[in-house]
Amino acid sequence: MSDATIEVYETEGRRFPPLPEFAEASLANDRSLYDEADADLETFWARQARELLTWDQDFGQVLDWQLPFAKWFIGGKLNVSYNCLDRHVEAGRGDKVAYHWEGEPGDTRTITYADLLDEVSRFANVLKGMGLEQGDRIAIYMPMIPELAIAMLACTRIGVAHSVIFGGFSPDAIVDRCDDASARMIITADAGFRRGAPSALKVNVDAALDAGAATVENVIVVNRCDTPVEMTDGRDHWWHEVVAAASPDCPPAPLDSEHLLYLLYTSGTTAKPKGIMHTTGGYLTQVAFTHKYVFDLKPETDVYWCAADIGWVTGHSYIVYGPLVNGCTSVMYEGTPDTPRESDRVGDDRSQWSKDRLWDIIERYGVTQLYTAPTAIRTFMKWGTAEVQRHDLSTLRVLGTVGEPINPEAWMWYHEHIGAGQTPIVDTWWQTETGGHMITPMPGVTTTKPGSACHTIPGVTAELVDDDGKVVTNGGGYLTISQPWPSMLRGIWGDPQRFQETYWSRFPGRYFAGDGARLDDDGYLWLLGRVDDVMNVSGHRISTAEIESGLVDHPAVAEAAVVGASDDTTGQAIVGYVILRGGNDASAELGEEIRQHVATKLGPIARPRSVFIVPDLPKTRSGKIMRRLLRDVAEGRGLGDTTTLADESVVEAIRAGAAAGDEN
Ligand code: PRX
């Protein structure tokens, strides 16, 4: 990892200018963290755990590793909400702003650490009052409002595990997740503001509870948008009413380091999402460590902004737990970047709306770190720089990106136009399963290359392996993690066997992330995307199997195949191929209806970009669908080798249809 010597380099046939220098000395401005971790991984993480967190009871053994099951900081006891709130208030920082929250219409709230502690304690008492106990699970289905963070922290205060369900998901997703986790409660809102209008949530909860989710006893509803909702007597409660009646005094429960903190469901290669389990001490240690060093945090003065949604792991780790445990001030924003404040909006024509909401927020709050996704950066590039130039972004010190490989062009645009050619960019590779950052440059230590996530963080060891599991030190391979790390997933809820099979069986002894990567001559890692049947759409993992089951759920569909086709803005886009049941005629209307069916069943993010109605699907002689060919068709490429096809005319027919614009 001798990266300081590289000055100019070529990537994708382009030469890039000399690398950015860092104006200020950073926290990790030498290699001592790497040296310490290299010397002894457990000692390194134990020091971080003790320095960054406050423990009610110190731990003894650092790591118990019974592959693939890890336990970290054994015997230690701590409380997450105490670490995120009470200790900052006790240290006299109660008046410090935890969140500058901004609603999409332009309404704002300033929430201090003392405010947050008060609200979290009250809400924890509400949960207790409704009979929730340590070890229970509840679901949270909310817009990006402060009550979402309050609900999560209240759970941690009393040892209840939360399962946050992204607000864009459908009633079916709520049922599946509540059933899998036996969730006893759902916390929701009437609606949240999105794209200039309220987007309903409570109706989806009602539909879910009509269809299943039988373990849910109570529903708590925040009145965010004042839209009419039905409240079921005895089951549904208004947040503001139950909180007003609750005491603000709720002592934090000292919990075992391995106590279940949360479940977060993620797509795998089958249709059934996996409940990824994260626990208390190890998760909080790595999230605190990475939030501090990767963003080069100066908690006294920084205004940090992670523009993700709390419905995904990025928001869990880097909007809620990381920033709060480190006592910093964050921005939280409810809506989409192309929605101006209500007061700034001229008319209803979206195409006329200004597209500078992000830059406006950065300027108004003086944001110092911006953390967003390549898909957003590519959208900003399309919008052009005029909107950016109207704003003073000079407070920005560190820029981050996450969710998918970032192309060097987007990296350079981000660096030049948002970072004024000065600001380091941290391209952070990690996953729901890893809990926190794993591979990323460290400001002040790593010399970056546009488009490369560079190296593992101190205390994490990644290796590429070939098909036979042999370590690859130069060139392409499968990304594996070869040592346990504190914030690693502890399992899949209710399915230890699937945990073992999914992550630990392909390469024995190694965690297989499902991504391909390349190591260049300088030892830099370049992430190449998923190698399994999981698509990455706007930084969100969606399995092909999940969409296929949504397609065949439509009564007119007999068989379906889904591929992720590359897309300039979203990284990948969902493309479906369907064979109709007898008696149905192909038409543009039917194609549209099928697309909509998937959106209704799985949520709007799962809506395919296109659905092709085809007479047959290309299969091998053993009956396996040849997705590669479908991807080639979707991306308009030549077909390459088709000799293993059972019926070669099938692809030609599909391709002829696609070329003739049969896309529905
Ligand atoms: O394929 C990788 C991609 O996103 C996957 C993880 O998705 P998820 O669990 O939803 O978490 C997203 C946010 C952490 C990975 O397997 N991915 C994430 N970050 C990067 C990335 N690919 C390339 N570069 C990244 N920085």
Side-chain angles (χ1 to χ4, degrees), residues 567-644:
D567 183 283
D568 282 352
T569 307
T570 59
Q572 283 191 305
I574 305 171
V575 176
Y577 296 85
V578 299
I579 303 175
L580 298 180
R581 283 179 196 279
N584 292 285
D585 292 325
S587 70
E589 292 72 41
L590 181 58
E592 186 50 39
E593 189 186 308
I594 295 170
R595 278 180 72 222
Q596 189 49 42
H597 182 79
V598 177
T600 311
K601 181 127 184 74
L602 301 170
I605 55 160
R607 181 189 283 114
R609 182 183 72 185
S610 22
V611 167
F612 294 98
I613 297 175
V614 294
D616 207 347
L617 290 167
K619 292 188 183 153
T620 60
R621 281 167 209 145
S622 60
K624 219 172 156 224
I625 293 173
M626 289 184 71
R627 287 170 199 283
R628 178 180 65 76
L629 296 181
L630 293 174
R631 208 170 294 127
D632 288 344
V633 174
E635 294 175 352
R637 261 198 311 275
L639 293 183
D641 183 13
T642 56
T643 45
T644 50

Side-chain angles (χ1 to χ4, degrees), residues 24 295-305 328-331 361-363 365-371 393-400 418 423-424:
E24 293 173 62
F295 295 115
D296 189 30
L297 195 70
K298 299 182 168 50
E300 299 307 321
T301 48
D302 277 343
V303 180
Y304 156 93
W305 185 17
C328 89
T329 296
S330 296
V331 168
I361 289 177
I362 291 169
E363 182 173 9
Y365 296 100
V367 169
T368 46
Q369 288 99 341
L370 174 67
Y371 191 31
L393 307 182
S394 60
T395 48
L396 287 170
R397 290 197 299 112
V398 180
L399 299 175
I418 309 305
T423 316

Side-chain angles (χ1 to χ4, degrees), residues 266 312-314 371 374 401-406 426-434 436-437 439 451 453 479 513-516 526-530 536 539-541:
T266 189
W312 311 108
V313 75
T314 309
Y371 191 31
T401 151
V402 60
E404 50 172 319
I406 182 164
V426 289
D427 174 4
T428 59
W429 180 92
W430 60 295
Q431 306 179 299
T432 306
E433 292 87 340
T434 72
H437 297 156
I439 304 173
L479 178 64
D515 283 25
W526 297 77
L527 276 306
L528 302 173
R530 307 284 309 173
N536 190 321
H540 303 313
R541 272 158 72 185

Side-chain angles (χ1 to χ4, degrees), residues 102 116 237 259 310 333 387 404 417 419 447 462 509-510 583 587 591:
E102 181 153 319
L116 208 50
H237 318 267
H259 188 80
I310 295 177
Y333 172 55
E387 303 260 13
E404 50 172 319
H417 296 285
T447 304
R510 296 170 177 278
S587 70

Side-chain angles (χ1 to χ4, degrees), residues 235-252:
R235 185 195 75 186
D236 298 353
H237 318 267
W238 285 111
W239 174 291
H240 56 270
E241 289 178 6
V242 288
V243 164
S247 151
D249 183 25
C250 176

Side-chain angles (χ1 to χ4, degrees), residues 138-159:
I138 68 165
I140 300 181
Y141 181 68
M142 287 174 91
M144 282 283 291
I145 55 177
E147 285 79 1
L148 169 49
I150 292 166
M152 292 163 75
L153 289 160
C155 288
T156 72
R157 201 159 183 87
I158 60 170

